[in-house]
Amino acid sequence: MWCYRGREIVRRSYAQVHDDVLAACAALEGAGVVAGTHVGILGGNSYEWIVADLALTRLRAVSVALPVETHRDTPPEELRTAYDLGLLLMARSEYTRRGPLPPWTAPLDDPGAAAVAPPDGAERGPGADVFTLVFSSGSSGRPKCIMMSAPGTVATLEEYAAQLRLDTGDAIFVVLPLTAFPQRLMVYLAIWRGFDIRLADIPRLHPALKAMAPTVVVGPPAFFETVESRYRALPPADRRRADRLRRLTALIPSRTARQRVRRRLFADFHAQFGGRARLLLTGSAPARLGTLRLMEQLGFALHEFYGMTEAGVISWNLPGRTRHGSVGRPLLPGTVRIAEDGEILIRFEPPRSAGYHGDHGTDDVYRPDGWIGTGDLGRFDGPYLHLTGRKKAVIITRSGYKLQPEPAERALAALPGVAHAVLLGGEHAHVVTAVVSLDGPAGDTVRTALDRAVEEFNRTLPEPARIARLFCTEEAFTAADGLLTRTLKPDRAAIAAHFGKRLFAPAHTPAAGDLPARTTPTPGTGEAR
């Protein structure tokens, strides 16, 4: 395992990891942790985080993976009450920042410095199969606390191992927060199958990729769109040469030989990922079709998948069975079906999770018949699953029309120069408004392309559902400012709150980087509405 210690990258063998886990087990047992004890972990990605998690799993305690961004300032007593904590472990920096703390708290690097809090008589046991509580990372509403099943997780790992075919020569890059359960699944898979973990965090994403040179990278589309942005920014002569090479290499009949040649020709782009990446997987948000195609033409094996925290991977594209624009084939036959209203329903045996912890409604997700409602809308095209939108993302306009925003958002986000695009309406805006974050300064070419894309999309819609305003900003959407979730998906409600005054206050002066919001022309007339 490779990880950061300060600014330096250090390496630890799995034998060392094993010894450190046993030492953490002894410390935790000394603090009073027993099977079933709920232990909170609050901190960013670190070696100590992984060791504590593995130790708690070994002791059959229940880890509670607390996202830093939502719990940084939550009082420990509140966390204890909400999640039945007996012990709370924090990153050393967090432990020091908070000052005097209850005796049942300790730094991650010294778990034995605490004593388990006595039961308060109000614990709600999650069930014998539950080994960890994790949090969803949806793009709207407060995160839900999910009870993950140990047998279900083992079944998930067995299927990942069978289908991904990773071996001891591989190294997987883990950079999204460990509180996101899919990242921990990658850690468990690496340890189980004996290949390397390269652990970093988002602030060090790009230097870590180059220095750690992983063979497998899993991340949201934003990870890979940087390659497309860099390609589009090539000087004109270099871009023309690269375009010719892409076209010529497409004539190579063998997929393996074609990819090998492209890796050599576009080695500078591969160096951005450390030069060894052989499998790239992207999910958590729709990937741009243009990005997928360009990455393939540059010699990258980038494949889109679909999943949810409650169940893990639902479907994925893999080498040799990929269809761009889809989210691939179901992980297992018979586990996915489409309801009458278009919602994607899933069911795994054994179940991957046991429901929600605490005060959360479950009937719309965990259904009595054993199926889980994803909240996503989709369709099958042969064996391949396609996503068409979110049930709860539907914008109900002032005239009562129901608009699914994702198709327009995907179309706008696919344009050169666009980083993110979000449609607002209904409760967030009095007219349907497209908010677009640009990669850089907005030239006439970018604005013209956006105007045309909006006009073309509007032609497909009735008058009440058309995009009436287009607002462009050079302000980046980031997780640090709350405009992206921790898995880097746009947060619609946060974006509406952040830009609301700039969009609709009549006397507002645009902030630096904002372009004045435009009304859009009615299709075929050129008249603004």
Side-chain angles (χ1 to χ4, degrees), residues 501-515:
K501 290 183 179 179
R502 294 190 228 173
L503 284 169
F504 303 113
H508 172 69
T509 300
D514 288 355
L515 280 74

Side-chain angles (χ1 to χ4, degrees), residues 343-357:
E343 183 178 10
I344 298 170
L345 304 179
I346 60 170
R347 181 167 61 185
F348 288 101
E349 291 294 340
R352 278 28 176 177
S353 57
Y356 297 125
H357 178 274

Side-chain angles (χ1 to χ4, degrees), residues 39-41 49 63-67 71 132-135 178-180 184:
V39 179
I41 304 178
W49 204 111
S63 62
V64 183
L66 299 164
H71 293 89
T132 186
L133 304 185
V134 303
F135 292 81
L178 288 165
T179 51
R184 288 162 66 192

